[in-house]
Amino acid sequence: MSNEIISFFNTFLSTSQSEAMATFVGIFFLINFVIIIVAFMTLLERRLLGRLQNRIGPNRTGPNGLLQPFADVIKLLTKEDIVIPAADRWPFNIAPLLALMPALSVWIVIPFAPTWILADLDIGILFVIAITGVSVIGVFMSGWASANKFALLGSMRSVASIISYEVPMILAIIAVVLLVGSMSMQQIVLFQSIPLVLVQPASFVIFLLAIVAELNRSPFDIVEAESEIIAGYHTEYTGMKFATFFLAEYTAALAWSAVVVTLFLSGWRIPFVQADIHPFIDGLVFLIKTIFVFCIFVWFRGTWPRLRIDQILGFSWKVLFPIATLNLVITAIEVLVFNDVFAVAEGETLPTIALVAMGLINIAIFIVVGIALNKFIKPIDQEPQSYPVTREGMTL
Amino acid sequence: MESVTGAIAFWILAVAIIGCAVLVLTVPNIFHSALFLVGCLGGIAGIYILLNADFLAAVQILIYIGAVAVMLIFGIMLTQDVVKSNVSNHYRIPALGLSGAFLVILLTAIFGTNWQTQSPSTEASTGSIADALFSNYILPFELSSVVLLTAIIGAIVIAKER
């Protein structure tokens, strides 16, 4: 697609200028496309969550409630923009943008189809990890600048959970990168003659749980636990600034879903069809898979109750981290052995039959480790040791 | 970086980095100086991108902004009284001496180096960095991981309840 845009601009601009213009047009379409999809994702989440909780959900605005996102946007746009006097003005105003920027930047390296990718960076997945790390600063700034202890508590909790879950998440990604031999998102998709979820089941599970924590979604949503700290870091935000935080959250959720699809569900490739069909069909397949992963997040939210912070941090360090390390070591050995057995030359990738064999081994190990964990490790059920208690016996 | 746009981008980044660095030292609020430090480190990542060192740029953002700056801000938030009180202390003259000595070392290094003025290669840098790191520089690489491990164990020992 980019070539067609470049040739269109070439009719009245020089080559380098038209390349720059094509990039600009690509960014414009991408951002608008993503934001419109995200708007409908909020509706999808509310409807699906409604069904999971045995109610209907918003269905009054437009056919089947399809116009609900637009009504929400108009409502938020017309609300008063309150900046509390005690707020630290500059950080308070910049924070929503700093939260949104990383979530939108991730889409630069997401491949929608063989040619539909804004920039096939050599460091693709590393770029995703690096840029999403910046969003923590936005959360911090809002929590600080709000001059509100609940906001501050919310941002502190956010950082504690994000720092813990980044470790198993990156270890899971390293296993995939080791197998593929490239960090480029397009290369990872092209590698997957069978979806990597079948080859790397442990990585997939760890990655999925880690990004739910990274996104501060239920059951890891202690950051904005309504019953404990009002709304967390965006307690003091109103109107469009609040909407920007909301948008950032859902854009990030959709972006991480797209990353899951790219890494583990063979991206734009249609399952069991090796041939490359039309880019539009590939893009559609990619979108369907992404929305499917997003629905898994909604399903999590509708199923599990919120965890305590010590349970969340304990789960990351005591369960996910050891499994991720074990998985990485096993993958490294497998890659070495299989490259030797199948005599893979430099610059070539493993044949499909090798992936199938590797997948069978990994699934067997995954099941054995799962049974062992279930049998020998007791759930974390003890109370935290130091919990402030009031005179009436209530925990704070 | 022969192109005009490259030069413009370089000067904008350079001014932004130095401006942020000066503001880190001069603003009275320590939280604001931490934020300007983030800006400064981000600008350096921008310079790396201009030099086609994409791997270094990503690692700069990941480690310096995503980890170091975040831990710094976390520390500031946990010690809230620091912000309300005056942050200056009695170590001005030793600090001046130490930073002056560091400046002299840096300047001798800068003027002693024979800078090569060739345009950056457009090849992907990740592979060559990995090759260098795991062959010629394997000893520093392993040593740094030992240092990090020591730091982690030390933190656990200090934080452990007695």
Side-chain angles (χ1 to χ4, degrees):
Chain A
M1 188 173 65
S2 56
N3 287 333
E4 288 144 29
I5 300 172
I6 290 173
S7 54
F8 167 71
F9 281 112
N10 248 334
T11 51
F12 51 91
L13 289 173
S14 73
T15 315
S16 62
Q17 277 172 335
S18 47
E19 271 172 15
M21 278 308 287
T23 313
F24 188 76
V25 170
I27 293 171
F28 179 80
F29 276 116
L30 190 69
I31 288 180
N32 281 289
F33 176 72
V34 166
I35 285 180
I36 288 170
I37 296 283
V38 164
F40 284 107
M41 284 302 110
T42 61
L43 177 69
L44 177 75
E45 166 149 23
R46 290 172 69 183
R47 289 301 300 263
L48 209 58
L49 210 57
R51 286 291 172 195
L52 287 169
Q53 293 164 350
N54 205 6
R55 58 190 172 85
I56 295 169
N59 68 342
R60 293 286 125 176
T61 326
N64 277 315
L66 272 176
L67 294 177
Q68 187 67 40
F70 301 102
D72 286 342
V73 168
I74 292 168
K75 185 194 81 174
L76 285 165
L77 273 173
T78 51
K79 279 201 171 179
E80 187 190 354
D81 175 36
I82 302 170
V83 181
I84 48 169
D88 199 346
R89 200 166 255 280
W90 270 92
F92 187 82
N93 289 338
I94 296 172
L97 293 176
L98 217 55
L100 180 62
M101 183 274 288
L104 281 175
S105 304
V106 171
W107 293 95
I108 294 173
V109 293
I110 302 284
F112 290 89
T115 51
W116 290 7
I117 176 167
L118 211 55
D120 187 16
L121 296 183
D122 188 51
I123 51 162
I125 185 67
L126 184 68
F127 172 83
V128 173
I129 302 168
I131 206 81
T132 48
V134 178
S135 61
V136 183
I137 306 270
V139 172
F140 251 151
M141 280 165 78
S142 59
W144 168 269
S146 295
N148 176 328
K149 64 182 160 197
F150 295 113
L152 197 63
L153 270 176
S155 50
M156 301 273 252
R157 286 177 168 197
S158 143
V159 173
S161 66
I162 286 178
I163 287 175
S164 310
Y165 277 87
E166 220 157 52
V167 176
M169 183 180 88
I170 291 177
L171 286 176
I173 291 175
I174 291 174
V176 171
V177 171
L178 209 60
L179 188 60
V180 177
S182 170
M183 289 192 285
S184 150
M185 299 292 256
Q186 196 68 270
Q187 289 297 325
I188 292 173
V189 174
L190 290 172
F191 179 84
Q192 295 178 56
S193 44
I194 56 171
L196 277 186
V197 61
L198 299 175
V199 185
Q200 289 280 338
S203 290
F204 174 72
V205 173
I206 293 163
F207 188 68
L208 200 66
L209 290 175
I211 59 176
V212 175
E214 180 101 1
L215 289 166
N216 300 321
R217 287 181 62 90
S218 196
F220 303 103
D221 62 343
I222 45 161
V223 171
E224 36 198 277
E226 298 89 353
S227 50
E228 297 165 25
I229 50 171
I230 309 177
Y233 58 89
H234 52 61
T235 302
E236 298 291 351
Y237 284 85
T238 54
M240 208 50 214
K241 281 178 205 155
F242 168 74
T244 313
F245 271 122
F246 193 72
L247 187 68
E249 215 166 274
Y250 276 84
T251 314
L254 201 67
W256 278 114
S257 313
V259 174
V260 171
V261 170
T262 311
L263 290 184
F264 293 103
L265 303 177
S266 69
W268 41 261
R269 294 173 82 138
I270 305 160
F272 310 111
V273 179
Q274 299 303 330
D276 159 37
I277 320 173
H278 195 266
F280 270 110
I281 296 170
D282 291 335
L284 201 64
V285 168
F286 183 82
L287 208 61
I288 290 169
K289 285 180 182 175
T290 307
I291 292 171
F292 170 72
V293 175
F294 186 83
C295 289
I296 297 180
F297 293 157
V298 179
W299 182 32
F300 281 179
R301 186 174 166 184
T303 311
W304 286 330
R306 183 181 301 135
L307 296 167
R308 267 196 332 253
I309 186 148
D310 60 315
Q311 291 170 328
I312 289 179
L313 300 185
F315 180 64
S316 168
W317 290 109
K318 293 174 193 162
V319 182
L320 287 187
F321 177 61
I323 296 176
T325 316
L326 185 71
N327 177 54
L328 181 61
V329 173
I330 291 172
T331 310
I333 295 169
E334 277 174 350
V335 168
L336 267 183
V337 170
F338 276 81
N339 272 336
D340 218 38
V341 169
F342 287 91
V344 179
E346 183 99 5
E348 279 180 32
T349 50
L350 285 166
T352 313
I353 182 78
L355 288 182
V356 173
M358 200 184 277
L360 288 176
I361 296 171
N362 279 338
I363 290 170
I365 295 173
F366 185 65
I367 292 170
V368 168
V369 170
I371 292 171
L373 277 180
N374 205 16
K375 200 151 189 171
F376 297 118
I377 293 186
K378 300 233 161 58
I380 311 158
D381 58 359
Q382 82 272 21
E383 283 287 305
Q385 282 110 6
S386 56
Y387 228 57
V389 180
T390 58
R391 208 177 299 159
E392 287 80 26
M394 283 171 65
T395 50
L396 287 178
Chain B
M1 250 208 307
E2 296 102 276
S3 67
V4 183
T5 44
I8 293 171
F10 172 78
W11 282 107
I12 291 174
L13 279 173
V15 169
I17 291 168
I18 292 173
C20 282
V22 169
L23 283 168
V24 169
L25 297 175
T26 50
V27 289
N29 187 329
I30 194 166
F31 182 75
H32 290 172
S33 22
L35 292 183
F36 283 120
L37 185 65
V38 171
C40 184
L41 297 169
I44 293 169
I47 296 273
Y48 287 145
I49 292 170
L50 277 185
L51 293 169
N52 275 332
D54 50 359
F55 181 79
L56 267 187
V59 168
Q60 167 88 9
I61 294 175
L62 182 66
I63 293 176
Y64 282 97
I65 297 180
V68 173
V70 166
M71 290 317 287
L72 204 70
I73 300 175
F74 203 56
I76 292 169
M77 281 184 161
L78 282 171
T79 50
Q80 241 189 321
D81 291 344
V82 171
V83 184
K84 281 157 194 159
S85 64
N86 192 359
V87 284
S88 70
N89 54 30
H90 306 298
Y91 296 113
R92 285 202 172 176
I93 292 163
L96 189 70
L98 207 64
S99 47
F102 189 61
L103 183 69
V104 168
I105 295 170
L106 276 184
L107 285 178
T108 38
I110 289 169
F111 288 111
T113 311
N114 180 25
W115 295 100
Q116 292 174 336
T117 49
Q118 60 182 28
S119 58
S121 70
T122 48
E123 281 171 43
S125 57
T126 317
S128 43
I129 288 175
D131 286 340
L133 211 55
F134 290 105
S135 57
N136 290 343
Y137 302 101
I138 186 74
L139 189 66
F141 179 78
E142 294 290 341
L143 273 181
S144 63
S145 54
V146 171
V147 170
L148 287 176
L149 184 67
T150 321
I152 294 170
I153 295 171
I156 292 171
V157 169
I158 290 169
K160 207 175 153 193
E161 282 180 71
R162 292 193 185 87

